[in-house]
Amino acid sequence: MNILVLDGNQNQAVASVRSLARAGHQVFVGESSSWSKAGWSRAATGTIRYPAPKQNVAAFVDSMAAFLRQRPGTLVLPMTEATMLPISTHRDELLAAGARLVLPDHEDVLHAFDKDYTTQLAASLGVAIPRTILISAPQQADRAAHSARYPVVLKPRASEEFADGAIRTAGRPRYARDSNEFAQAYRDLSQRSSAVLLQEFVRGEGTGYFALMHHGELRAEFAHQRIRDVYPTGSGSALRVSIEPDAEIRRASLAILSALRWHGVAMVEYRKQPGQPPVFMEVNGRFWHSLPLACYAGVDFPALLAQMAEHGDVPPATAYKPGVRCRWLLGDARHLVEVWKGPPAGYPEPYPSRLQTLLRVLTPVPGTHHDLFQWNDPLPELGDWLHTFTRMLGTR
């Protein structure tokens, strides 16, 4: 089967290309730039360049349709919300052009991307959530600033949203320990997001549950423990190890994904303290950045998803190997830089020690796999560093 993996400069794209090629598929890689690290993989059959959906959604969809008319029956796999949202919105046009898609109904996609909706859904299912207020106007923000119990977190209602025919990225969460920091954080976020969620700051370790769902029913699952996040405040992981799913988190996640009638892959994120119930954070209805670890541990999500697209369903596959470690080298370097910079404004928790972090990052652990580097396919690792440096130069 022909498969088009989008967002070729994402780690999950590299893992998907390698996985799908091993399964015998012809894998093409798409990206809005002239090259991508997944496109540099030896496993890629070919590459395409498409207009960036963050600049012009219509041109992006037209480009996808043109590719699909040349290769009808191609499975299209978006790796980020920036490509998944326009593909879901224009699915009828793309299906008419010959696409295969593994997606839930568009309404369910929008619900999963809406952090306010999923937070309220989790609460209705008996899952612990942070105290949450949706702010959609400056007057609401003023009132909330004076009534909030600090410290608090402000985050965009959706990570990506349509704006003037393009996809707009809302940015990372902001933190506030008082009303002055709140006002600055809200001004920053409200310029890029139509609505902002105000939540109490939840202490604990970031953790998650990863699943492949078939119309709301589980087909494959995975869990890992984060050892180092790229951002010490919480983010995608730079180093992590596979573990058995936490029973409470598994139950809560399956309840949420079943209620969303989810079809395809997804991850559900939480904060967890010892002896306390997990607190729901958000749903990401797409492949995740740490996907390589799941593949190394024995849960080949991309191949399973392709099998589902080709045959309609797959038998349940929930067994995998705990104790497998996987590291993103550039992510670890970024973690070190973030620690050296110090905590962001308003962050209320203790921050990692610079010296201890340096020693941990530089100390090798035998048997650790790598997200991108493989001896028989080294170019994606090189592409990762080049992509980062070119972005830094472009920003400056």
Side-chain angles (χ1 to χ4, degrees):
M1 180 170 60
N2 286 334
I3 301 178
L4 175 59
V5 173
L6 304 181
D7 308 287
N9 273 316
Q10 299 293 317
N11 285 15
Q12 59 266 43
V14 176
S16 294
V17 169
R18 288 168 170 167
S19 159
L20 295 166
R22 283 196 305 270
H25 301 289
Q26 298 291 308
V27 189
F28 297 85
V29 178
E31 182 51 270
S32 59
S33 58
S34 59
W35 61 273
S36 69
K37 58 192 180 188
W40 281 6
S41 171
R42 296 175 60 185
T45 300
T47 61
I48 70 165
R49 184 178 184 180
Y50 50 71
K54 292 185 178 182
Q55 298 172 4
N56 190 327
V57 166
F60 166 75
V61 174
D62 288 344
S63 176
M64 292 293 99
F67 177 88
L68 292 164
R69 282 190 287 268
Q70 294 176 356
R71 297 173 179 84
T74 296
L75 172 62
V76 181
L77 296 182
M79 297 286 125
T80 68
E81 289 95 334
T83 53
M84 184 173 173
L85 187 56
I87 284 172
S88 178
T89 302
H90 297 274
R91 64 178 67 195
D92 291 342
E93 179 181 343
L94 296 176
L95 289 170
R100 295 191 199 204
L101 300 172
V102 180
L103 292 173
D105 292 343
H106 183 57
E107 181 182 20
D108 296 324
V109 171
L110 295 179
H111 284 161
F113 286 178
D114 185 334
K115 292 180 174 61
D116 182 58
Y117 180 92
T118 54
T119 299
Q120 302 312 317
L121 173 63
S124 74
L125 296 169
V127 180
I129 64 168
R131 288 188 295 272
T132 302
I133 299 173
L134 180 64
I135 302 173
S136 54
Q139 296 84 355
Q140 287 179 287
D142 290 339
R143 291 194 296 270
H146 292 95
S147 62
R149 295 170 58 182
Y150 293 97
V152 296
V153 182
L154 290 88
K155 60 178 66 171
R157 183 173 186 171
S159 300
E160 311 278 353
E161 57 182 46
F162 272 117
D164 301 322
I167 300 294
R168 178 172 65 180
T169 300
R172 291 184 52 76
R174 301 290 187 270
Y175 304 90
R177 292 167 295 190
D178 55 43
S179 59
N180 290 330
E181 291 179 345
F182 178 104
Q184 179 59 49
Y186 176 74
R187 281 195 299 270
D188 184 28
L189 278 178
S190 61
Q191 293 174 5
R192 289 171 282 121
S193 178
S194 59
V196 174
L197 258 65
L198 168 64
Q199 293 185 329
E200 67 173 321
F201 181 84
V202 178
R203 291 173 168 82
E205 181 182 73
T207 188
Y209 177 80
F210 310 85
L212 172 64
M213 306 294 291
H214 182 266
H215 299 294
E217 296 183 357
L218 179 66
R219 291 296 181 266
E221 65 181 357
F222 183 71
H224 70 234
Q225 179 182 353
R226 298 175 180 182
I227 299 174
R228 283 192 294 272
D229 283 351
V230 177
Y231 292 92
T233 56
S235 66
S237 59
L239 178 67
R240 82 295 300 191
V241 60
S242 60
I243 60 171
E244 295 288 349
D246 176 275
E248 283 187 284
I249 288 176
R250 184 180 191 271
R251 179 198 62 78
S253 301
L254 290 177
I256 293 167
L257 294 174
S258 296
L260 285 170
R261 302 180 294 275
W262 199 254
H263 186 60
V265 294
M267 67 174 296
V268 190
E269 293 192 66
Y270 302 83
R271 284 274 182 174
K272 183 79 164 64
Q273 291 192 77
Q276 299 292 324
V279 179
F280 171 81
M281 291 287 110
E282 64 183 30
V283 174
N284 289 314
R286 53 168 175 78
F287 282 113
W288 46 93
H289 215 258
S290 58
L291 175 64
L293 173 58
C295 296
Y296 285 125
V299 190
D300 198 337
F301 282 103
L304 289 169
L305 188 69
Q307 185 180 347
M308 182 181 289
E310 198 166 15
H311 302 292
D313 200 356
V314 293
T318 57
Y320 58 88
K321 184 178 179 181
V324 179
R325 289 167 60 102
C326 194
R327 181 188 191 192
W328 178 25
L329 288 175
L330 178 58
D332 241 357
R334 288 172 56 185
H335 171 84
L336 184 59
V337 169
E338 292 299 323
V339 170
W340 225 258
K341 285 162 56 178
Y347 188 67
E349 287 282 88
Y351 216 60
S353 159
R354 291 172 176 172
L355 181 57
Q356 288 180 352
T357 299
L358 177 63
L359 293 175
R360 288 169 182 157
V361 168
L362 294 180
T363 302
V365 177
T368 300
H369 296 276
H370 294 280
D371 283 6
L372 299 176
F373 181 75
Q374 294 182 356
W375 286 109
N376 63 350
D377 190 25
L379 289 183
E381 180 69 45
L382 173 63
D384 193 28
W385 292 84
L386 288 176
H387 175 63
T388 298
F389 288 141
T390 54
R391 288 177 62 191
M392 291 171 59
L393 290 173
T395 301
R396 292 178 181 176

